[in-house]
Coordinates of all heavy atoms in Angstrom, one line a residue:
R1 N 17.5 -76.4 -137.6 CA 17.1 -76.9 -138.9 C 18.3 -76.9 -139.8 O 19.1 -76.0 -139.9 CB 16.0 -76.0 -139.6 CG 14.7 -75.9 -138.8 CD 13.7 -74.9 -139.4 NE 13.0 -75.5 -140.5 CZ 12.9 -74.9 -141.7 NH1 13.6 -73.8 -142.0 NH2 12.2 -75.5 -142.7
I2 N 18.5 -78.1 -140.5 CA 19.6 -78.3 -141.4 C 19.1 -78.8 -142.8 O 17.9 -79.2 -142.9 CB 20.6 -79.3 -140.9 CG1 20.0 -80.6 -140.6 CG2 21.2 -78.7 -139.6 CD1 21.0 -81.7 -140.1
S3 N 19.9 -78.7 -143.8 CA 19.5 -79.0 -145.1 C 19.1 -80.5 -145.3 O 19.8 -81.4 -144.9 CB 20.7 -78.7 -146.1 OG 20.4 -79.2 -147.4
L4 N 17.9 -80.7 -145.9 CA 17.5 -82.0 -146.2 C 18.3 -82.6 -147.4 O 18.6 -83.8 -147.3 CB 16.0 -82.0 -146.6 CG 15.3 -83.3 -147.1 CD1 15.2 -84.3 -145.9 CD2 13.9 -83.0 -147.7
A5 N 18.7 -81.8 -148.3 CA 19.4 -82.3 -149.5 C 20.9 -82.5 -149.3 O 21.5 -83.4 -150.0 CB 19.2 -81.3 -150.6
R6 N 21.5 -81.8 -148.4 CA 23.0 -81.8 -148.3 C 23.5 -82.5 -147.0 O 24.7 -82.9 -146.9 CB 23.6 -80.4 -148.4 CG 23.4 -79.8 -149.8 CD 24.1 -78.5 -149.9 NE 23.6 -77.5 -149.0 CZ 24.2 -77.0 -147.9 NH1 25.3 -77.5 -147.5 NH2 23.6 -76.1 -147.1
S7 N 22.8 -82.5 -145.9 CA 23.3 -83.0 -144.7 C 23.2 -84.5 -144.6 O 22.4 -85.2 -145.4 CB 22.4 -82.5 -143.5 OG 21.1 -83.0 -143.5
A8 N 24.0 -85.1 -143.8 CA 24.0 -86.6 -143.6 C 22.6 -87.0 -143.1 O 22.0 -88.1 -143.6 CB 25.0 -87.0 -142.6
M9 N 22.0 -86.4 -142.1 CA 20.7 -86.7 -141.6 C 19.6 -86.6 -142.7 O 18.8 -87.5 -142.8 CB 20.4 -85.9 -140.4 CG 19.0 -86.3 -139.8 SD 18.6 -85.2 -138.3 CE 19.7 -85.9 -137.1
G10 N 19.7 -85.5 -143.5 CA 18.7 -85.3 -144.5 C 18.8 -86.4 -145.6 O 17.8 -87.0 -146.0
R11 N 20.0 -86.7 -146.0 CA 20.1 -87.8 -147.1 C 19.8 -89.1 -146.5 O 19.3 -89.9 -147.3 CB 21.6 -87.7 -147.6 CG 21.8 -86.5 -148.4 CD 23.3 -86.4 -149.0 NE 23.5 -85.2 -149.8 CZ 24.6 -84.9 -150.4 NH1 25.7 -85.7 -150.2 NH2 24.7 -83.8 -151.1
A12 N 20.1 -89.4 -145.3 CA 19.7 -90.7 -144.7 C 18.2 -90.8 -144.6 O 17.6 -91.9 -144.9 CB 20.3 -90.9 -143.3
Y13 N 17.5 -89.7 -144.3 CA 16.1 -89.7 -144.3 C 15.5 -90.0 -145.7 O 14.6 -90.8 -145.9 CB 15.6 -88.3 -143.9 CG 14.1 -88.1 -143.9 CD1 13.3 -88.3 -142.8 CD2 13.4 -87.8 -145.1 CE1 11.9 -88.2 -142.8 CE2 12.0 -87.7 -145.2 CZ 11.3 -87.9 -144.0 OH 9.9 -87.8 -144.1
I14 N 16.1 -89.3 -146.7 CA 15.6 -89.6 -148.1 C 15.8 -91.0 -148.5 O 15.0 -91.6 -149.1 CB 16.4 -88.6 -149.1 CG1 16.1 -87.2 -148.8 CG2 16.1 -89.0 -150.5 CD1 16.9 -86.2 -149.5
A15 N 17.0 -91.6 -148.0 CA 17.3 -93.0 -148.4 C 16.3 -93.9 -147.7 O 16.0 -95.0 -148.3 CB 18.7 -93.4 -147.9
G16 N 15.8 -93.6 -146.6 CA 14.9 -94.5 -145.8 C 13.4 -94.3 -146.0 O 12.6 -95.1 -145.6
T17 N 13.0 -93.2 -146.7 CA 11.6 -92.9 -146.9 C 11.0 -93.7 -148.0 O 11.7 -94.5 -148.7 CB 11.4 -91.4 -147.0 OG1 10.0 -91.2 -146.9 CG2 11.8 -91.0 -148.4
T18 N 9.7 -93.6 -148.3 CA 9.0 -94.3 -149.3 C 9.5 -93.8 -150.7 O 10.0 -92.7 -150.8 CB 7.5 -94.1 -149.2 OG1 7.2 -92.7 -149.4 CG2 7.0 -94.6 -147.8
E19 N 9.2 -94.6 -151.7 CA 9.6 -94.2 -153.1 C 8.8 -93.0 -153.5 O 9.4 -92.1 -154.2 CB 9.3 -95.3 -154.0 CG 10.3 -96.5 -153.9 CD 10.1 -97.6 -155.0 OE1 9.3 -97.3 -155.9 OE2 10.7 -98.6 -154.8
A20 N 7.6 -92.9 -153.1 CA 6.7 -91.7 -153.5 C 7.3 -90.4 -152.9 O 7.4 -89.4 -153.5 CB 5.3 -92.0 -153.0
E21 N 7.6 -90.5 -151.6 CA 8.1 -89.3 -150.9 C 9.5 -88.9 -151.5 O 9.8 -87.7 -151.7 CB 8.2 -89.4 -149.4 CG 8.6 -88.1 -148.7 CD 8.6 -88.2 -147.2 OE1 8.3 -89.3 -146.7 OE2 9.0 -87.2 -146.6
R22 N 10.3 -89.9 -151.7 CA 11.6 -89.7 -152.3 C 11.5 -89.0 -153.6 O 12.2 -88.0 -153.9 CB 12.4 -91.0 -152.4 CG 13.9 -90.8 -152.8 CD 14.6 -92.1 -152.9 NE 14.5 -92.9 -151.7 CZ 14.0 -94.1 -151.7 NH1 13.6 -94.7 -152.8 NH2 13.9 -94.7 -150.5
A23 N 10.6 -89.4 -154.5 CA 10.4 -88.8 -155.8 C 10.0 -87.4 -155.6 O 10.4 -86.5 -156.4 CB 9.4 -89.6 -156.6
E24 N 9.1 -87.1 -154.7 CA 8.6 -85.7 -154.5 C 9.7 -84.8 -154.0 O 9.9 -83.7 -154.4 CB 7.5 -85.8 -153.4 CG 6.9 -84.4 -153.0 CD 7.5 -83.9 -151.7 OE1 7.8 -84.7 -150.8 OE2 7.6 -82.6 -151.6
I25 N 10.6 -85.4 -153.1 CA 11.7 -84.6 -152.6 C 12.7 -84.3 -153.8 O 13.2 -83.1 -153.9 CB 12.5 -85.3 -151.5 CG1 11.6 -85.4 -150.2 CG2 13.8 -84.7 -151.2 CD1 12.1 -86.3 -149.1
I26 N 13.0 -85.3 -154.6 CA 13.9 -85.1 -155.7 C 13.4 -84.1 -156.6 O 14.1 -83.2 -157.1 CB 14.2 -86.4 -156.4 CG1 14.9 -87.4 -155.5 CG2 15.0 -86.2 -157.7 CD1 16.2 -87.0 -155.0
E27 N 12.1 -84.1 -156.9 CA 11.5 -83.1 -157.8 C 11.6 -81.7 -157.2 O 12.0 -80.7 -158.0 CB 10.0 -83.4 -158.0 CG 9.3 -82.5 -159.0 CD 10.0 -82.5 -160.4 OE1 10.6 -83.5 -160.8 OE2 9.8 -81.5 -161.1
R28 N 11.4 -81.6 -155.9 CA 11.6 -80.3 -155.3 C 13.0 -79.8 -155.4 O 13.3 -78.6 -155.6 CB 11.1 -80.4 -153.8 CG 9.7 -80.7 -153.6 CD 8.8 -79.4 -153.7 NE 9.3 -78.3 -152.9 CZ 9.0 -78.3 -151.5 NH1 8.3 -79.3 -150.9 NH2 9.4 -77.3 -150.8
I29 N 14.0 -80.7 -155.2 CA 15.4 -80.3 -155.3 C 15.7 -79.8 -156.7 O 16.4 -78.9 -156.9 CB 16.3 -81.5 -154.9 CG1 16.1 -81.8 -153.4 CG2 17.7 -81.3 -155.2 CD1 16.8 -83.1 -152.9
R30 N 15.2 -80.5 -157.7 CA 15.5 -80.1 -159.0 C 15.0 -78.7 -159.3 O 15.6 -77.9 -160.0 CB 14.8 -81.1 -160.0 CG 15.5 -82.5 -160.1 CD 14.8 -83.4 -161.1 NE 15.4 -84.7 -161.2 CZ 16.5 -85.0 -161.8 NH1 17.1 -84.1 -162.5 NH2 17.0 -86.3 -161.8
E31 N 13.8 -78.4 -158.8 CA 13.2 -77.1 -159.0 C 13.9 -75.9 -158.4 O 13.9 -74.8 -158.9 CB 11.7 -77.1 -158.5 CG 10.8 -78.1 -159.3 CD 9.4 -78.2 -158.7 OE1 9.3 -77.7 -157.5 OE2 8.5 -78.8 -159.3
R32 N 14.6 -76.2 -157.2 CA 15.1 -75.1 -156.5 C 16.6 -75.1 -156.4 O 17.2 -74.2 -155.7 CB 14.5 -75.2 -155.0 CG 14.9 -76.4 -154.2 CD 14.1 -76.5 -153.0 NE 14.4 -75.5 -152.0 CZ 13.7 -75.2 -151.0 NH1 12.6 -75.8 -150.7 NH2 14.0 -74.2 -150.1
T33 N 17.3 -75.9 -157.1 CA 18.8 -76.0 -157.0 C 19.4 -75.4 -158.3 O 18.9 -75.7 -159.4 CB 19.3 -77.5 -156.8 OG1 18.6 -78.0 -155.7 CG2 20.8 -77.5 -156.7
E34 N 20.5 -74.7 -158.1 CA 21.2 -74.1 -159.3 C 21.7 -75.2 -160.2 O 22.2 -76.3 -159.6 CB 22.3 -73.2 -158.8 CG 21.9 -72.0 -158.1 CD 21.1 -71.0 -158.9 OE1 21.4 -71.0 -160.2 OE2 20.3 -70.3 -158.4
P35 N 21.6 -75.1 -161.5 CA 22.0 -76.2 -162.4 C 23.5 -76.7 -162.2 O 23.7 -77.9 -162.3 CB 21.9 -75.6 -163.8 CG 20.8 -74.5 -163.6 CD 21.1 -74.0 -162.2
D36 N 24.4 -75.8 -161.8 CA 25.7 -76.2 -161.7 C 26.0 -77.0 -160.4 O 27.1 -77.6 -160.2 CB 26.7 -75.0 -161.7 CG 26.4 -74.0 -160.6 OD1 25.3 -74.0 -160.1 OD2 27.3 -73.2 -160.3
R37 N 25.0 -77.0 -159.5 CA 25.2 -77.8 -158.2 C 24.2 -79.0 -158.2 O 24.4 -79.8 -157.3 CB 24.8 -76.8 -157.0 CG 25.7 -75.6 -156.9 CD 25.4 -74.9 -155.7 NE 25.4 -75.7 -154.5 CZ 24.7 -75.5 -153.3 NH1 23.9 -74.5 -153.3 NH2 24.9 -76.3 -152.3
L38 N 23.3 -79.1 -159.1 CA 22.2 -80.1 -159.0 C 22.8 -81.5 -159.0 O 22.5 -82.3 -158.2 CB 21.2 -79.9 -160.1 CG 20.1 -80.9 -160.2 CD1 19.3 -80.9 -158.9 CD2 19.2 -80.6 -161.4
Q39 N 23.7 -81.8 -160.0 CA 24.1 -83.2 -160.2 C 24.9 -83.6 -159.0 O 24.8 -84.8 -158.6 CB 25.0 -83.3 -161.5 CG 25.2 -84.7 -161.9 CD 23.9 -85.5 -162.1 OE1 23.1 -85.1 -162.8 NE2 23.8 -86.6 -161.5
E40 N 25.7 -82.8 -158.4 CA 26.5 -83.1 -157.2 C 25.6 -83.5 -156.1 O 25.8 -84.5 -155.4 CB 27.4 -81.9 -156.8 CG 28.1 -82.2 -155.5 CD 28.9 -81.0 -155.0 OE1 28.9 -80.0 -155.7 OE2 29.5 -81.1 -153.9
I41 N 24.5 -82.8 -155.9 CA 23.5 -83.1 -154.8 C 22.8 -84.4 -155.1 O 22.7 -85.3 -154.2 CB 22.5 -82.0 -154.6 CG1 23.2 -80.8 -154.0 CG2 21.4 -82.4 -153.7 CD1 22.4 -79.5 -153.9
L42 N 22.4 -84.6 -156.4 CA 21.7 -85.9 -156.7 C 22.6 -87.1 -156.6 O 22.2 -88.1 -156.1 CB 21.2 -85.8 -158.1 CG 20.1 -84.7 -158.4 CD1 19.6 -84.7 -159.9 CD2 18.9 -85.0 -157.5

């Protein structure tokens, strides 16, 4: 298992999925990522 938010495979998955799932993933990332790292990941 590797990171959905930081790995190449995870980010490609996010890029290819539906808008609804992408929005859900982004919201989860916002909730669980430290503020000083969030913008870099987004």
Side-chain angles (χ1 to χ4, degrees):
R1 301 175 78 232
I2 60 177
S3 170
L4 178 66
R6 294 186 295 107
S7 68
M9 184 182 281
R11 289 179 178 178
Y13 176 97
I14 295 171
T17 195
T18 63
E19 290 187 9
E21 184 177 2
R22 188 180 307 122
E24 178 260 326
I25 291 171
I26 295 299
E27 181 60 27
R28 295 278 307 282
I29 291 172
R30 290 182 181 277
E31 292 173 351
R32 62 192 293 164
T33 305
E34 296 294 330
D36 60 337
R37 298 183 57 207
L38 177 60
Q39 194 57 52
E40 178 185 355
I41 291 176
L42 295 180

